[in-house]
Amino acid sequence: MGLCSDRWITRMAREHGMIEPFEDRQVREGVISYGVSSYGYDMRVAREFKIFTNINSTIVDPKNFDEQSFVDFKGPVCIIPPNSFALARTVEYFKI
């Protein structure tokens, strides 16, 4: 049994709370699946995003982001403008 097998993931999630909330099977609602599978664990992205867009042409310092360069967005679909990126959080919490 490999280190990251579905059995190991399931055991760690149940015995140690490694993934919360934990889905012990692969759920396929629509196109994108989530939950444990033989390939690992497919996590979900929450509906909250921080979209970075450099409209102020500021210097981008990854260790000290300017909060004015981010737009907070909440919704089921996030459209990322050209030359931008988005940060998202997961629905699941991972204890690693």
Side-chain angles (χ1 to χ4, degrees), residues 20-34:
E20 293 177 9
F22 176 70
E23 186 60 52
D24 64 354
R25 61 183 175 82
Q26 191 170 46
V27 177
R28 293 182 179 209
E29 295 174 357
V31 180
I32 300 173
S33 64
Y34 64 93

Side-chain angles (χ1 to χ4, degrees), residues 4-24:
C4 288
S5 73
D6 54 340
R7 286 184 226 148
W8 183 85
I9 292 170
T10 300
R11 185 169 52 91
M12 291 294 112
R14 287 186 176 147
E15 294 176 10
H16 302 285
M18 184 177 79
I19 303 171
E20 293 177 9
F22 176 70
E23 186 60 52
D24 64 354

Side-chain angles (χ1 to χ4, degrees), residues 4-96:
C4 288
S5 73
D6 54 340
R7 286 184 226 148
W8 183 85
I9 292 170
T10 300
R11 185 169 52 91
M12 291 294 112
R14 287 186 176 147
E15 294 176 10
H16 302 285
M18 184 177 79
I19 303 171
E20 293 177 9
F22 176 70
E23 186 60 52
D24 64 354
R25 61 183 175 82
Q26 191 170 46
V27 177
R28 293 182 179 209
E29 295 174 357
V31 180
I32 300 173
S33 64
Y34 64 93
V36 74
S37 73
S38 59
Y39 298 104
Y41 193 88
D42 294 338
M43 64 185 186
R44 296 170 282 179
V45 174
R47 294 176 176 236
E48 299 154 18
F49 302 89
K50 276 195 172 288
I51 303 170
F52 173 82
T53 182
N54 198 4
I55 59 172
N56 299 324
S57 298
T58 59
I59 295 173
V60 179
D61 180 357
K63 292 184 179 181
N64 188 21
F65 278 115
D66 181 359
E67 282 296 319
Q68 293 180 345
S69 297
F70 284 100
V71 175
D72 290 327
F73 176 78
K74 195 174 206 176
V77 176
C78 179
I79 298 174
I80 305 166
N83 300 316
S84 300
F85 65 86
L87 299 174
R89 73 171 183 84
T90 61
V91 171
E92 292 84 1
Y93 178 78
F94 295 86
K95 294 179 186 174
I96 300 175

